[in-house]
Amino acid sequence: MTRVAVVGGGALGVTAARDLAARGADTVLYERDDLASGASGRAAGIAYDAFAEDVDATVAARAVERFRSLASEGAIEFVEHPYVWFARAGDDPRATAVRESAQRMRANGRDVETLDPDGFADRFPALASVDVATAALARDAGYLDPATYVTAMGERAESAGATVETGTPVRLAADGTAVETPVGTERFDAVLVAAGAHTKRLLAGIDTPIPMKPYRVQALVTEPLDDHERVPTCYDATESRYARPREGGLLVGDGTQEREFDPDDYDEAADAEFERASLAWLSEVRSERTTDPEIARSWAGLCTATPDRDPLLGEVRGGLYVATGWHGHGFMRAPALGERVADEILGGDGVGPFDPTRFDGDEEFSVVEGMTVDD
Ligand SMILES: Cc1cc2nc3c(=O)[nH]c(=O)nc-3n(C[C@H](O)[C@H](O)[C@H](O)COP(=O)(O)OP(=O)(O)OC[C@H]3O[C@@H](n4cnc5c(N)ncnc54)[C@H](O)[C@@H]3O)c2cc1C
């Protein structure tokens, strides 16, 4: 029986652990805190299949399928909700990018429609005051509470026979196929490092560099608002801000800082300036507002960047696998990417374009935020 260690109990790690165990691998998942205590528990929980690249589109469609399947079993609540993204009047480069990316998504078989300003205002009266140049609408989209997915998959991993060790920080042993836990060293046939923003640091400990940089993003949730359900999940490409209904109010996100952050030393609270700008943006875009919102809570978390904005997923050296570099789209793709890396560990092909060995590991690059309409 293949023995596999999974390091990290976020959305990726629990999915891989569940799928490895379900396929007969003797699987141990190590999480240093609680499940979902990293980026997964801080995510906005937005999911859609609207990707312009064919591999991304296939992966995202499979992920949405798995979210729906878990929801049909009653394990999570996946709220079907359209996703619309738009460029504002005067922002010609992004308007062109919205149109072109929607076209490429349709070519990949995605259910994506382009909307002109009137079509946008008719379809989404709650946002009708936005002066859009062009918009695109994806119907295969929804949202969920990200922590409930991690919990549900963690339980399924255990039901399938995996051992889930929370409160267990590990380091990698020199050859990459053993982990050092607080009580000793455990050997495995394969080790998957899905430790989120800590992944690079763990691998650096055994001289295996990867080109990944953690960067900080922010979100807030407002107190309840009358119009929350009429607001679609939306991304304002011109203002670089997104929203979706959450807890009776609206979640607003972004506040991205395009530089590398230390995963052991970053501010987990949102900045006052992010909060101010997000509330101002809400006042501007909500055409049916009767009141201005109060902030219920806000926070910051880390996403992970790579030089080409594609993930690092697969075997990085004999028996050592890595899963990181999601550019802010790790939660919505985790059900599929966890499945794919589990398959690779058990002898499958992996996802060619995401092969981590396409880089040497010491590449210089700048952090570029993940939510854009440029690709
Ligand atoms: C504010 C915000 C909003 C976001 N919104 C979305 C969204 O709507 N949709 C989307 O797709 N993505 C979103 N993201 C990105 C998403 O959260 C991440 O891409 C995804 O959750 C990464 O999952 P992961 O399993 O790879 O990593 P993580 O969830 O970070 O999990 C890694 C785990 O490894 C553990 N760990 C670290 N070091 C060790 C160690 N030495 N030993 C054992 N365990 C260790 C950590 O404690 C952590 O639990 C958002 C992120 C943020 C911060």
Side-chain angles (χ1 to χ4, degrees), residues 276-298:
R276 188 205 58 73
S278 296
L279 292 183
W281 179 80
L282 275 180
S283 299
E284 194 197 338
V285 301
R286 288 171 59 229
S287 57
E288 296 177 337
R289 73 177 194 280
T290 49
T291 50
D292 280 325
E294 302 282 329
I295 295 173
R297 60 199 174 88
S298 62

Side-chain angles (χ1 to χ4, degrees), residues 6-14 30-47 150 168-171 194-199 202 215-219 242 244 251 253-254 299-304 323-334:
V6 176
V7 181
L12 194 295
V14 292
Y30 297 102
E31 163 54 50
R32 66 177 196 163
D33 294 320
D34 294 320
L35 297 185
S37 58
S40 298
R42 294 166 179 270
I46 296 166
V150 179
T168 309
V170 303
R171 290 188 308 174
H198 285 91
T199 301
L202 270 168
Y215 63 96
R216 184 169 174 268
V217 300
Q218 304 174 70
Y242 63 86
R244 68 109 158 151
L251 180 152
D254 212 338
W299 64 93
L302 296 179
C303 291
T304 50
T324 189
W326 317 125
H327 273 272
H329 295 79
F331 178 72
M332 69 175 79
R333 293 185 290 175

Side-chain angles (χ1 to χ4, degrees), residues 8-256:
L12 194 295
V14 292
T15 306
R18 184 267 166 203
D19 290 352
L20 285 160
R23 290 180 57 181
D26 180 6
T27 307
V28 184
L29 182 144
Y30 297 102
E31 163 54 50
R32 66 177 196 163
D33 294 320
D34 294 320
L35 297 185
S37 58
S40 298
R42 294 166 179 270
I46 296 166
Y48 49 74
D49 70 353
F51 284 82
E53 297 295 338
D54 55 352
V55 173
D56 291 326
T58 305
V59 160
R62 170 64 181 148
V64 170
E65 182 181 53
R66 289 193 92 183
F67 283 134
R68 286 183 175 143
S69 162
L70 263 189
S72 72
E73 293 167 21
I76 57 169
E77 192 187 358
F78 181 74
V79 181
E80 302 283 346
H81 202 64
Y83 170 55
V84 62
W85 63 107
F86 56 84
R88 297 190 182 214
D91 185 358
D92 295 343
R94 288 194 187 81
T96 303
V98 168
R99 267 192 300 276
E100 288 178 353
S101 61
Q103 208 167 13
R104 289 166 63 203
M105 289 166 193
R106 278 194 293 276
N108 288 327
R110 301 302 114 215
D111 186 2
V112 170
E113 184 184 344
T114 308
L115 301 173
D116 64 17
D118 289 342
F120 175 83
D122 285 350
R123 194 73 65 90
F124 302 111
L127 299 178
S129 57
V130 183
D131 189 8
V132 305
T134 193
L137 163 67
R139 290 188 197 79
D140 265 325
Y143 59 78
L144 66 159
D145 176 349
T148 60
Y149 173 80
V150 179
T151 304
M153 269 305 194
E155 286 168 3
R156 275 162 173 68
E158 286 189 297
S159 304
T163 303
V164 175
E165 304 264 12
T166 53
T168 309
V170 303
R171 290 188 308 174
L172 304 176
D175 72 355
T177 54
V179 297
E180 295 172 3
T181 76
V183 292
T185 300
E186 290 280 333
R187 298 215 64 81
F188 294 89
D189 299 306
V191 174
L192 169 63
V193 185
H198 285 91
T199 301
K200 179 168 75 170
R201 189 158 286 174
L202 270 168
L203 290 166
I206 56 163
D207 276 340
T208 305
I210 55 165
M212 183 277 271
K213 292 181 181 176
Y215 63 96
R216 184 169 174 268
V217 300
Q218 304 174 70
L220 64 79
V221 178
T222 70
E223 296 288 358
L225 295 167
D226 289 347
D227 59 344
H228 75 277
E229 281 180 341
R230 294 191 297 282
V231 174
T233 298
C234 58
Y235 172 55
D236 179 342
T238 302
E239 296 298 321
S240 192
R241 218 161 281 272
Y242 63 86
R244 68 109 158 151
R246 186 156 175 178
E247 295 154 26
L250 289 168
L251 180 152
V252 183
D254 212 338
T256 300

